[in-house]
Amino acid sequence: MDYEVVELGYHAQKIAQVARDLGLDFYPVHFEVCPAEAIYTFGAYGMPVRFTHWSFGKAFERMKIQYDLNLTRIYELVINSNPAYAFLLEGNRLIQNKLVMGHVYAHVDFFKNNRYFQRTPKNMVNRMETHAEKIREYELEYGYEKVEQTLDAALSIQEHVDFRAHLGKKSKPKNEKCGARVERKRNPSLTQYTDLWEEEIGEEKEEAPPEEDVLLTIIKKSPTLEDWKRDILSMIREESLYFYPQIETKIINEGWATFWHSRIMHELDLTEEEAIEYAIMHSQVVQPSSLKLNPYYLGLKIWESLARELSTEELFEVREIENDVSFIRNYLNKDLVEELNLFNYRKIGAHWQVTGTAWEHVRDNLVRN
């Protein structure tokens, strides 16, 4: 890098203050500059410290090859913890790190305030380090192959957990009626009694039956599972529940971070050269893809649409209560679908064909998938 770490720290504090002035509320963030190999290792494992498994190595090789071929580039990684940890790519220019830091502060604001993250452990880095140590002990005691077979089995069903386990009374939004108020503002046909209707629904809602949590069912009910295997399944389940909210909020979270890094950067006193470089980098982040949906682009466009209609306070309320499914279902409208040229398609015979452009069908297809 052609600038000092001290200078980077100065800009981190300055950008944090700008973010706070704009209304963002985030945990303390510790930044660390890392080489590409470390960044992609963290990305493959999901954490700086975690148990070893061949699937992580496979993910690392794929990500590293794409980086070496200049096909993709991870500028940063941020960990949902308190304090939060963010890892900046060694070789980033100062203007790149300014954008990244603004992006990170918005992510951490989302982690701190979105209801789907309310019960995720904020010391998960330490907990995963403990998990890794215990699994190494089991490898020494029972053999590497037996432990690997158990991990293979556990990881093959790791997504089959009750994702509602991290929701509950503690995760209710600070203003429980904010969602209805925001929705009424965008849909005047809704009445003032919507709040009462939602409260009744909320009171009747029950927890998911335990059978929906396959890992928990095996942990609790298997009569033949050895204790050490049961312990490994419990660790995998805990880690899956930690990562699940990030899967549920990819579009809304990346859109939120992009929305705010743009506003933060406009508040900074950039040189002409920095402004041009920032504009290029930002456009690359939100560039639509012809092959797949860009979550940064879709999320940003929905947030920008909301910002034209709602106050900043109401934007924070939306950030507090929504996940990807509800965000798309509630706020992806006809105008946005047409502006973004979204459509449904599938492979028919040997060719991919457009199967529909009706905006409701496009929205519903995104919600289902």
Side-chain angles (χ1 to χ4, degrees):
M1 292 186 180
D2 55 359
Y3 54 91
E4 299 293 334
V5 174
V6 174
E7 184 181 8
L8 190 61
Y10 164 77
H11 287 290
Q13 293 180 8
K14 184 176 180 180
I15 292 169
Q17 188 56 54
V18 171
R20 292 190 187 95
D21 291 343
L22 290 172
L24 296 182
D25 172 30
F26 42 85
Y27 300 123
V29 181
H30 293 170
F31 289 98
E32 186 170 337
V33 178
C34 299
E37 186 166 336
I39 290 283
Y40 284 90
T41 300
F42 299 162
Y45 279 76
M47 274 286 184
V49 180
R50 203 177 180 192
F51 63 88
T52 58
H53 188 258
W54 60 265
S55 62
F56 301 147
K58 179 181 177 181
F60 170 80
E61 285 298 323
R62 182 179 65 252
M63 296 167 67
K64 187 64 167 57
I65 289 172
Q66 290 177 338
Y67 171 78
D68 291 340
L69 296 177
N70 202 29
L71 298 175
T72 61
R73 181 184 179 94
I74 298 179
Y75 290 97
E76 48 76 28
L77 283 175
V78 57
I79 304 299
N80 168 32
S81 59
N82 183 15
Y85 295 92
F87 304 95
L88 307 178
L89 180 63
E90 186 178 70
N92 283 355
R93 292 183 292 278
L94 179 58
I95 184 60
Q96 291 175 321
N97 276 335
K98 286 181 179 180
L99 182 151
V100 165
M101 287 187 287
H103 196 84
V104 164
Y105 286 126
H107 270 316
V108 179
D109 167 89
F110 194 91
F111 293 150
K112 181 177 180 180
N113 295 284
N114 181 268
R115 68 187 300 254
Y116 290 88
F117 290 87
Q118 291 307 297
R119 286 189 173 179
T120 54
K122 301 307 176 185
N123 63 339
M124 201 60 185
V125 175
N126 296 332
R127 294 185 68 82
M128 286 194 179
E129 183 178 13
T130 301
H131 292 173
E133 291 175 356
K134 292 183 72 174
I135 289 175
R136 280 195 293 269
E137 291 174 2
Y138 289 143
E139 288 175 346
L140 293 174
E141 185 172 356
Y142 299 102
Y144 176 82
E145 289 187 1
K146 286 186 177 181
V147 172
E148 183 181 56
Q149 289 172 358
T150 303
L151 287 172
D152 287 346
L155 291 173
S156 70
I157 56 173
Q158 64 177 327
E159 295 179 359
H160 295 277
V161 294
D162 177 13
F163 65 91
R164 285 161 288 196
H166 55 266
L167 297 176
K169 292 182 179 179
K170 291 184 179 179
S171 63
K172 287 183 179 179
K174 299 169 187 174
N175 182 348
E176 296 183 32
K177 298 182 180 180
C178 64
R181 186 174 75 244
V182 170
E183 187 62 19
R184 280 203 306 274
K185 186 169 183 177
R186 303 188 86 241
N187 297 284
S189 60
L190 296 178
T191 73
Q192 61 181 331
Y193 301 107
T194 302
D195 291 349
L196 299 177
W197 175 248
E198 289 189 350
E199 286 176 5
E200 289 179 3
I201 293 176
E203 290 172 359
E204 294 175 1
K205 185 177 179 180
E206 297 179 355
E207 293 289 331
E211 288 74 15
E212 290 190 15
D213 194 323
V214 176
L215 275 173
L216 184 60
T217 300
I218 295 173
I219 291 166
K220 286 187 172 182
K221 297 185 177 182
S222 173
T224 59
L225 197 64
E226 298 174 70
D227 287 343
W228 68 272
K229 293 182 179 180
R230 200 182 308 274
D231 190 27
I232 288 179
L233 261 63
S234 297
M235 289 186 276
I236 297 300
R237 179 177 180 271
E238 182 182 355
E239 294 185 9
S240 294
L241 287 172
Y242 169 81
F243 286 119
Y244 215 104
Q246 297 180 38
I247 299 172
E248 289 184 294
T249 60
K250 178 68 174 179
I251 292 172
I252 184 175
N253 193 350
E254 293 297 356
W256 180 256
T258 306
F259 176 84
W260 284 106
H261 86 222
S262 176
R263 278 148 182 76
I264 290 170
M265 293 298 288
H266 281 89
E267 294 294 322
L268 301 180
D269 186 19
L270 303 180
T271 66
E272 182 177 345
E273 182 181 350
E274 285 181 322
I276 293 173
E277 188 172 354
Y278 156 70
I280 294 172
M281 185 177 175
H282 176 77
S283 65
Q284 291 172 340
V285 170
V286 300
Q287 182 177 5
S289 171
S290 59
L291 301 176
K292 60 182 179 180
L293 198 66
N294 182 345
Y296 297 81
Y297 181 63
L298 177 59
L300 173 64
K301 286 299 183 180
I302 296 177
W303 280 116
E304 287 180 340
S305 173
L306 287 173
R308 290 191 289 269
E309 303 177 33
L310 305 178
S311 67
T312 301
E313 180 185 359
E314 288 168 329
L315 290 180
F316 286 132
E317 292 172 349
V318 173
R319 171 264 274 144
E320 186 181 333
I321 63 175
E322 308 286 9
N323 65 2
D324 280 348
V325 170
S326 60
F327 188 60
I328 292 172
R329 184 182 59 225
N330 293 334
Y331 306 117
L332 182 63
N333 55 32
K334 182 175 184 290
D335 291 340
L336 276 172
V337 170
E338 292 178 352
E339 177 189 346
L340 303 180
N341 192 29
L342 299 177
F343 51 83
N344 290 327
Y345 67 96
R346 64 186 177 92
K347 195 171 187 179
I348 301 177
H351 304 284
W352 291 96
Q353 297 184 22
V354 175
T355 58
T357 58
W359 77 271
E360 299 99 331
H361 296 164
V362 173
R363 178 201 61 195
D364 294 344
N365 193 32
L366 283 172
V367 167
R368 285 193 299 269
N369 295 291

